């Protein structure tokens, strides 16, 4: 197994990925009322293209810089303690990229495509039903947090995030049913796996360090589970096992769509680009 390389292109990509993580993550935290974080898309891209160790380093540095380097409005008191989770996301993304779970699989035979389509539809349905409806204003969806007066920059980026999520879903549907790309189903399963691992690591940190309150839309879920009778640690774990799989699946989906839009020449220049995205099979 290759752990990845820090070649020139990877070193250039890492600060760009860190900036993507922080801008999106801070926007979600500051302005939006959704149970996801979107602070690891850059980390996932580095992991897939460059390998597990570059992905790990990207996630680790992003969270440390976010807390200890950046001033307001991009500063976050909550990011650094979760740096180990960000590192895990980068590492898992790199491993999954290395074994081909982000590889495009176009022109899949109908039988396998039906199985993959069922998996994707179930995952998207669960994300929508459990993640975006029941815990927000009695089932009425509210994208922006009405209790926060956000900087206009974050409001603009918030709208772009909403459009980006919609565009990613449309792109996934096109890849699945137009290109008959079974790779979408692999990405869905990979995102769920990464999310479960992330939840198991982050739950004790959230409960012990922050008392379950981390300044994100997911805090509402902790309160909902506590009102239902769960103690703090159980409520935090329940929230994590709901929010993290949703978040990582969405981020994996977005990363997969981005990778499919990049030029073959660009992707092939990264240490594991051809292997991860499947150009060697094209």
């Amino acid at each position: 197994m290759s752990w990845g390389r820090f070649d020139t292109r990877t070193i250039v990509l890492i600060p760009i990925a860190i900036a993507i993580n922080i801008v999106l993550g801070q926007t979600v935290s500051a302005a939006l009322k959704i149970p996801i974080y979107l602070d690891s898309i850059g980390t996932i891209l580095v992991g897939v293209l460059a390998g597990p160790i570059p992905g790990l380093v990207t996630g680790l540095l992003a969270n440390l810089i976010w807390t200890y380097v950046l001033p307001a409005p991009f500063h976050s008191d909550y990011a650094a303690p979760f740096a180990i989770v960000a590192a895990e996301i980068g590492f898992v993304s790199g491993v999954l990229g290395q074994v081909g779970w982000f590889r495009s699989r176009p022109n899949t035979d109908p039988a396998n495509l039906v199985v993959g389509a069922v998996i994707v539809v179930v995952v998207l349905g669960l994300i929508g039903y459990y993640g975006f409806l029941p815990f927000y204003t009695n089932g009425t969806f509210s994208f922006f947090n009405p209790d926060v007066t956000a900087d206009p920059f974050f409001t603009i980026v918030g709208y772009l995030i909403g459009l980006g999520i919609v565009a990613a879903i449309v792109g996934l549907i096109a890849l699945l049913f137009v290109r008959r790309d079974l790779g979408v189903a692999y990405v869905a399963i990979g995102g769920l796996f990464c999310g479960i691992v992330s939840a198991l690591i982050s739950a004790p940190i959230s409960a012990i360090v922050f008392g379950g309150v981390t300044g994100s839309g997911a805090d509402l879920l902790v309160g909902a589970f506590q009102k239902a009778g769960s103690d703090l640690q159980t409520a935090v774990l329940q929230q994590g096992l709901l929010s993290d799989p949703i978040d990582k699946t969405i981020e994996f989906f977005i990363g997969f769509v981005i990778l499919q839009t990049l030029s073959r020449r660009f992707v092939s220049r990264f240490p594991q680009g051809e292997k991860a995205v499947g150009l060697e099979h094209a």
Side-chain angles (χ1 to χ4, degrees), residues 152-213:
F153 172 82
F154 293 126
T155 301
I156 294 171
V157 176
Y159 279 111
L160 293 176
I161 287 173
L163 292 173
I165 292 175
V166 172
I169 293 174
V170 172
L172 288 170
I173 294 172
L175 288 170
L176 187 61
F177 294 107
V178 178
R179 288 185 54 186
R180 304 200 314 262
D181 194 336
L182 191 62
V184 177
Y186 280 81
V187 171
I189 296 172
L192 287 173
F193 169 77
C194 184
I196 292 171
V197 174
S198 298
L200 294 175
I201 298 174
S202 65
I205 299 172
S206 178
I208 295 171
V209 179
F210 298 112
V213 179

Side-chain angles (χ1 to χ4, degrees), residues 167-267:
I169 293 174
V170 172
L172 288 170
I173 294 172
L175 288 170
L176 187 61
F177 294 107
V178 178
R179 288 185 54 186
R180 304 200 314 262
D181 194 336
L182 191 62
V184 177
Y186 280 81
V187 171
I189 296 172
L192 287 173
F193 169 77
C194 184
I196 292 171
V197 174
S198 298
L200 294 175
I201 298 174
S202 65
I205 299 172
S206 178
I208 295 171
V209 179
F210 298 112
V213 179
T214 58
S216 70
D219 291 346
L220 298 175
L221 300 181
V222 176
F225 286 126
Q226 285 185 297
K227 287 182 179 179
S230 298
D231 58 44
L232 175 61
Q233 291 189 348
T234 301
V236 170
L237 179 59
Q238 288 173 309
Q239 174 268 313
L241 289 173
L242 181 63
S243 295
D244 278 293
I246 290 172
D247 177 63
K248 303 309 173 290
T249 302
I250 291 175
E251 293 193 276
F252 271 42
F253 278 157
I254 294 173
F256 182 71
V257 172
I258 291 174
L259 289 168
Q260 300 310 309
T261 62
L262 297 175
S263 71
R264 296 163 60 96
R265 183 178 180 183
F266 176 80
V267 170

